[in-house]
Amino acid sequence: MELPPFAAWRFVDAVDGFEVVYARPGRLRGHTSAVEGGRPYAVTYEIAVDAAWRTRSLTVTSETLAGVRSAHLQSDGEGAWTVDGVAAPHLDGLLDVDLEASACTNTLPVHRLEMPVGRVVTAAAVYVQAFDLVVRRLDQTYRRLDEHRFAYTSEGGFEAVLTYDDAGLVVDYPGIAVRFA
């Protein structure tokens, strides 16, 4: 599945804003500008993945009314992480990143994992919050329903049926984002 050179989403419901990502082999470079609960933020990110779609690094910057924050996450590709150069054992075993401010990052496990129709696949990820760049584990699962749809769950009881295009990018993330380019 080859990604297009760019994609864009409009956030819906609780968040009003946009995300644009520029893709090239092994890299996703994106930008999000949004307002959530009356609070604005702008997030930029660059994700490097290896040939097996395991996340190798993430550089992310968040700008809010409180100022600018940045973080750099590095992975050995086998599940060991550092955050700003410091070992992060609470992230051990995780291979994907999931940015709160991104619909695009839901493409990572879809590319990395074999997901036959009907099988539930656990895809816990390194989760990075938009406003404060807090980094934590996010437990989530994907169950392929057909060629383009996945039943997605994450901790806290969130459930949605995500629709993907042929390149493995989210087209519709109910309650979160809709792809328009």
Side-chain angles (χ1 to χ4, degrees):
M1 291 183 272
E2 186 174 323
L3 298 180
F6 82 97
W9 293 265
R10 175 162 177 82
F11 294 120
V12 296
D13 295 339
V15 178
D16 190 21
F18 297 91
E19 176 183 13
V20 176
V21 67
Y22 303 95
R24 60 181 186 162
R27 296 256 178 227
L28 298 169
R29 182 174 45 91
H31 311 270
T32 296
S33 294
V35 177
E36 182 176 356
R39 300 184 312 164
Y41 64 85
V43 172
T44 61
Y45 62 88
E46 185 160 347
I47 300 168
V49 297
D50 63 20
W53 281 88
R54 294 174 299 196
T55 301
R56 299 308 303 267
S57 68
L58 165 67
T59 300
V60 60
T61 300
S62 175
E63 187 169 353
T64 66
L65 290 171
V68 178
R69 292 181 175 90
S70 293
H72 182 72
L73 288 71
Q74 194 80 32
S75 171
D76 66 357
E78 300 298 322
W81 291 84
T82 61
V83 177
D84 295 328
V86 177
H90 65 290
L91 305 175
D92 281 355
L94 305 178
L95 300 177
D96 302 311
V97 293
D98 189 334
L99 299 175
E100 179 180 32
S102 174
C104 180
T105 53
N106 287 85
T107 197
L108 298 172
V110 169
H111 279 267
R112 184 177 60 77
L113 295 168
E114 178 142 344
M115 296 186 187
V117 172
R119 188 162 124 216
V120 175
V121 176
T122 300
V126 174
Y127 187 69
V128 182
Q129 297 175 180
F131 285 103
D132 53 13
L133 298 186
V134 166
V135 178
R136 64 179 181 83
R137 176 189 181 97
L138 176 68
D139 290 317
Q140 52 189 8
T141 65
Y142 291 80
R143 182 171 52 90
R144 182 184 286 272
L145 301 174
D146 57 34
E147 185 177 349
H148 294 285
R149 295 179 315 124
F150 292 81
Y152 170 78
T153 66
S154 66
E155 61 191 44
F158 181 83
E159 296 181 16
V161 174
L162 309 182
T163 304
Y164 288 78
D165 65 9
D166 289 336
L169 285 172
V170 170
V171 175
D172 184 26
Y173 191 148
I176 304 293
V178 175
R179 178 128 165 248
F180 66 90

